[in-house]
Amino acid sequence: MSAPKLQQDLDCKIARLEQDLIVLKRRRNALSPISQLPSELLRKIFYLSLHFLQADRNSRTKILPEDTRLSISHVDHHWRTAVLESPELWSEIHVRNTTKVEYLAIARNNSKMQPLYVDGYDINLTGAGGVRHILQTEPHRIKSVTLHAPIEVMRSLLPDLKVSCEAIEFLELNGSAVQAHVDLTQHDTFFNFPKLRHLRVTFWDTLLIPSSFHPPSLVRLEIYFHRSSANHITRSTFAALRTVASTLEILGLRFQSSASSQDILNSIGRLPIHMPRLDMASFLSNSPGILPELLSLFHVPPSFRSVSLIAQGSAANANEFQAITSALQRSYASIYSPNVLIVRQGPPPITPSSDAIEVLIKHRAGVTLKHCISAFLIPSRGRQPIFSSDDDHALPISFPSSKGWLFGTLRDVNVEADLPVAFWRAFAYIPTLSTIKYRVTRPDDGFHRALEEIVVGEGPLEGDEEVFPSLTAVCPTFRGTSIEWDEDYARGLAVLLGRAWARSGVSSPPLALLEFRGCSSNRLDDGTVRSFRSVVRGVAVWNDQRWDFRETSQ
């Protein structure tokens, strides 16, 4: 036999053995635990792996979901088959500046006829070419488009978006917060999307939404102005908003600009906007006067769930919040009465700030949360804190009163901020207040000092009014590294509460619960326990130590 013939036979035998080896490896891999998973579960794991890529704390710019998808498909034959037979894993097409058209063709083909979700994040004009390729080749399959790019890049894609406008249901257009100079006297004209359900436009301050914009199924609308948009842009936006108001369930508006509040208010208009289906709303402004006006402008239904207000910079001041609470009372007093108040310090949901304050006013029916209004006050750096323990400091929210809408029906109060003494003292005369939870950071905190003034009859609210007539639970939590004074504080608190009630003619201990958490030790002396017994007819708790004063013994 000649050498070439022998070599050819050996090559054939090697090929057969290599093929047998591949088959054996596949059989061996099939015995591994992960290969025993049902294909549906394996595909679900792959799907989730593409949605939680930020677990390693990488920025979104550095995340390349298409690389992860290709890596999964190259692990072994079983995984590759699962990936290629799962069109839903390819229907979300992530375009970056480095994405090649060849990959986009693979994703389109493997997605079969699934609706496509296109995401272009932090793209320049090169990345816009990839997005344009998808929009032009698959205009009838595009269900969702998300673009994060400078205005000039998104502007170049407007004609291509228009080609796909008949199919798009979700659209997010996010301009960069740091932009090159943009001529705000110019504008980019938007157009209608007949099937659009969600629209979010952020930092595209030259995008003019015409009054003809009227998607009949639009349920979510978020528009965030970053710069001082031209008046005709704001005016046109609110004209379009009035057109779609009847279908909206979620609304978000942000005015983070240097324009005067009067210019913005003139552009918004004064005609009320009725929103019969609105469930959630969020408003942000750094210009005084905007938030109260928005609250008065939008008429929400009794079924609304939450409203979030964020006053930032110059809008985060006492006068602005007084105007906000007045607007809330005018607009919401006929809808619900708050029975829960929460006051706590930041950080807020957007800009971290240790001086930020959040005020929540809620209505609960049993364990069910019916309505919630939250207000964030975020002062500029270097400004005086919004709350201060000094009595002469301007209060950022309305003064507690049993006659006002905000406080008149309060049942629970949870305070994690340093409220002024006068504020605490006023709580004593809310007739419905039953539970107080608060944070203690120093022995002479506002609540303790307020009780001292009530006992001696000081302050503007002195008289024969009953003190804390419905209070049944007091729950302080100590915060700090050096709180050796906590037992003295607890004993003094019990004594002051007893004297305050004695001054009101209360003969029997009214508290069902006196609970201290965050204490420095777990043991109390007998004198402190006796002071608890004088005001508690139920349970006293010190960290994990518990006394039931409904019984005759400890």
Side-chain angles (χ1 to χ4, degrees):
M1 183 180 294
S2 64
K5 175 62 175 172
L6 181 60
Q7 187 178 27
Q8 185 177 9
D9 290 345
L10 290 173
D11 287 340
C12 290
K13 188 173 183 179
I14 290 172
R16 288 194 299 270
L17 291 173
E18 287 178 343
Q19 185 61 39
D20 290 341
L21 184 61
I22 290 174
V23 173
L24 290 172
K25 284 183 176 181
R26 288 178 180 174
R27 290 174 60 187
R28 181 196 63 188
N29 292 339
L31 298 175
S32 65
I34 194 168
S35 296
Q36 304 299 316
L37 294 176
S39 297
E40 295 79 7
L41 180 56
L42 193 60
R43 288 197 292 266
K44 185 65 174 179
I45 293 172
F46 294 159
Y47 182 82
L48 294 175
S49 72
L50 296 174
H51 286 77
F52 291 90
L53 293 171
Q54 289 175 278
D56 58 359
R57 299 185 181 180
N58 279 335
S59 66
R60 188 173 175 185
T61 306
K62 298 178 180 178
I63 292 171
L64 302 175
E66 61 272 22
D67 289 351
T68 301
R69 185 163 25 228
L70 289 175
S71 297
I72 292 172
S73 66
H74 284 74
V75 171
D76 65 14
H77 178 74
H78 179 55
W79 283 29
R80 182 175 181 82
T81 302
V83 170
L84 293 178
E85 292 179 352
S86 306
E88 67 275 8
L89 296 180
W90 298 89
S91 62
E92 296 187 12
I93 301 179
H94 303 266
V95 181
R96 303 293 184 261
N97 295 325
T98 56
T99 304
K100 299 183 182 301
V101 173
E102 293 80 5
Y103 165 77
L104 297 176
I106 293 173
R108 286 171 38 228
N109 291 333
N110 289 342
S111 64
K112 310 302 184 200
M113 294 308 295
Q114 291 278 326
L116 297 179
Y117 303 81
V118 182
D119 172 38
Y121 188 84
D122 198 26
I123 57 174
N124 54 26
L125 290 174
T126 301
V131 174
R132 184 175 295 108
H133 173 80
I134 297 295
L135 294 175
Q136 291 178 350
T137 55
E138 302 285 357
H140 304 299
R141 291 174 57 196
I142 307 295
K143 185 173 184 178
S144 170
V145 177
T146 300
L147 299 178
H148 290 241
I151 289 176
E152 60 270 17
V153 174
M154 295 196 295
R155 179 180 291 149
S156 71
L157 291 170
L158 269 179
D160 304 290
L161 284 172
K162 193 168 186 177
V163 174
S164 302
C165 68
E166 295 290 334
I168 293 177
E169 297 182 23
F170 304 86
L171 182 60
E172 179 175 340
L173 305 172
N174 191 330
S176 173
V178 180
Q179 296 266 8
H181 175 72
V182 177
D183 186 357
L184 294 175
T185 63
Q186 303 297 317
H187 67 260
D188 307 292
T189 303
F190 207 43
F191 36 84
N192 202 32
F193 291 78
K195 295 183 179 180
L196 195 64
R197 294 178 54 80
H198 292 197
L199 174 63
R200 178 186 175 101
V201 180
T202 306
F203 303 150
W204 193 346
D205 299 316
T206 60
L207 186 64
L208 188 146
I209 302 177
S211 56
S212 58
F213 176 77
H214 190 197
S217 300
L218 190 68
V219 296
R220 181 169 188 153
L221 177 62
E222 297 174 79
I223 300 178
Y224 298 157
F225 296 100
H226 181 55
R227 291 183 175 84
S228 307
S229 298
N231 290 341
H232 69 284
I233 298 288
T234 308
R235 190 179 303 112
S236 180
T237 298
F238 272 80
L241 178 55
R242 286 179 165 86
T243 303
V244 300
S246 62
T247 63
L248 287 183
E249 298 174 9
I250 300 175
L251 174 64
L253 295 173
R254 178 182 297 185
F255 293 91
Q256 197 170 1
S257 67
S258 58
S260 71
S261 57
Q262 193 57 51
D263 287 343
I264 296 175
L265 293 175
N266 290 338
S267 301
I268 288 175
R270 305 292 179 177
L271 290 177
I273 302 178
H274 296 274
M275 310 192 75
R277 298 179 59 185
L278 191 68
D279 184 48
M280 301 172 63
S282 175
F283 305 122
L284 179 148
S285 176
N286 60 357
S287 299
I290 302 298
L291 295 178
E293 187 66 25
L294 292 177
L295 286 171
S296 301
L297 188 66
F298 293 105
H299 291 189
V300 303
S303 59
F304 91 96
R305 184 160 41 123
S306 70
V307 173
S308 177
L309 309 168
I310 305 174
Q312 195 172 16
S314 61
N317 59 67
N319 292 335
E320 176 76 355
F321 207 75
Q322 292 282 4
I324 288 174
T325 54
S326 297
L328 284 172
Q329 183 161 350
R330 290 194 302 271
S331 301
Y332 293 84
S334 61
I335 297 177
Y336 86 110
S337 298
N339 55 22
V340 179
L341 173 69
I342 300 174
V343 184
R344 57 194 179 197
Q345 291 182 285
I350 49 173
T351 306
S353 172
S354 59
D355 292 331
I357 290 291
E358 180 185 14
V359 179
L360 288 88
I361 49 176
K362 303 179 179 182
H363 175 75
R364 286 189 178 276
V367 297
T368 304
L369 178 62
K370 295 291 189 180
H371 308 290
C372 176
I373 297 177
S374 62
F376 291 91
L377 290 87
I378 309 172
S380 301
R381 286 188 176 181
R383 288 184 57 188
Q384 186 178 9
I386 297 170
F387 279 139
S388 170
S389 60
D390 298 332
D391 284 352
D392 57 354
H393 190 71
L395 294 175
I397 55 181
S398 300
F399 202 80
S401 168
S402 60
K403 300 178 182 179
W405 166 80
L406 184 59
F407 298 99
T409 57
L410 277 186
R411 186 184 63 213
D412 302 322
V413 169
N414 189 338
V415 177
E416 298 180 11
D418 195 6
L419 291 180
V421 175
F423 205 87
W424 277 114
R425 188 171 55 234
F427 273 134
Y429 301 92
I430 304 298
T432 56
L433 186 59
S434 63
T435 301
I436 294 179
K437 297 180 180 180
Y438 67 104
R439 182 187 63 183
V440 184
T441 58
R442 63 179 195 275
D444 60 339
D445 75 315
F447 187 39
H448 201 278
R449 291 169 56 195
L451 287 174
E452 290 177 339
E453 294 184 1
I454 290 172
V455 167
V456 299
E458 292 182 354
L461 296 175
E462 60 184 281
D464 296 328
E465 300 168 89
E466 190 174 354
V467 177
F468 293 118
S470 301
L471 192 62
T472 59
V474 176
C475 307
T477 298
F478 295 104
R479 297 283 177 84
T481 56
S482 300
I483 53 172
E484 293 81 6
W485 41 265
D486 54 356
E487 187 171 348
D488 292 335
Y489 178 93
R491 185 168 50 251
L493 177 67
V495 170
L496 288 172
L497 284 170
R499 291 179 179 175
W501 276 310
R503 182 172 177 263
S504 299
V506 177
S507 56
S508 61
L511 287 185
L513 176 65
L514 178 60
E515 181 178 33
F516 296 88
R517 294 293 180 185
C519 315
S520 60
S521 66
N522 289 324
R523 302 299 301 176
L524 290 178
D525 61 38
D526 293 339
T528 304
V529 175
R530 284 195 297 271
S531 68
F532 290 173
R533 186 187 294 273
S534 66
V535 293
V536 178
R537 56 176 169 79
V539 175
V541 177
W542 181 265
N543 275 350
D544 297 323
Q545 196 175 11
R546 174 188 174 95
W547 296 267
D548 191 338
F549 294 124
R550 291 170 298 188
E551 302 173 357
T552 57
S553 61
Q554 179 177 324

PDB file of all heavy atoms in Angstrom, residues 263 518 524:
ATOM      1  N   ASP A 263     -41.755  81.872  34.036  1.00  0.00           N
ATOM      2  CA  ASP A 263     -41.769  81.472  32.622  1.00  0.00           C
ATOM      3  C   ASP A 263     -42.340  80.069  32.466  1.00  0.00           C
ATOM      4  O   ASP A 263     -43.123  79.795  31.557  1.00  0.00           O
ATOM      5  CB  ASP A 263     -40.350  81.529  32.042  1.00  0.00           C
ATOM      6  CG  ASP A 263     -39.869  82.953  31.831  1.00  0.00           C
ATOM      7  OD1 ASP A 263     -40.720  83.863  31.821  1.00  0.00           O
ATOM      8  OD2 ASP A 263     -38.641  83.156  31.703  1.00  0.00           O
ATOM      9  N   GLY A 518     -32.107  49.332  70.341  1.00  0.00           N
ATOM     10  CA  GLY A 518     -30.780  49.903  70.156  1.00  0.00           C
ATOM     11  C   GLY A 518     -30.115  50.296  71.454  1.00  0.00           C
ATOM     12  O   GLY A 518     -29.223  51.156  71.462  1.00  0.00           O
ATOM     13  N   LEU A 524     -31.762  46.236  83.176  1.00  0.00           N
ATOM     14  CA  LEU A 524     -32.222  47.485  83.772  1.00  0.00           C
ATOM     15  C   LEU A 524     -32.298  47.321  85.285  1.00  0.00           C
ATOM     16  O   LEU A 524     -32.576  46.235  85.797  1.00  0.00           O
ATOM     17  CB  LEU A 524     -33.612  47.850  83.242  1.00  0.00           C
ATOM     18  CG  LEU A 524     -33.702  48.281  81.766  1.00  0.00           C
ATOM     19  CD1 LEU A 524     -35.160  48.541  81.417  1.00  0.00           C
ATOM     20  CD2 LEU A 524     -32.863  49.519  81.511  1.00  0.00           C
TER      21      LEU A 524
END
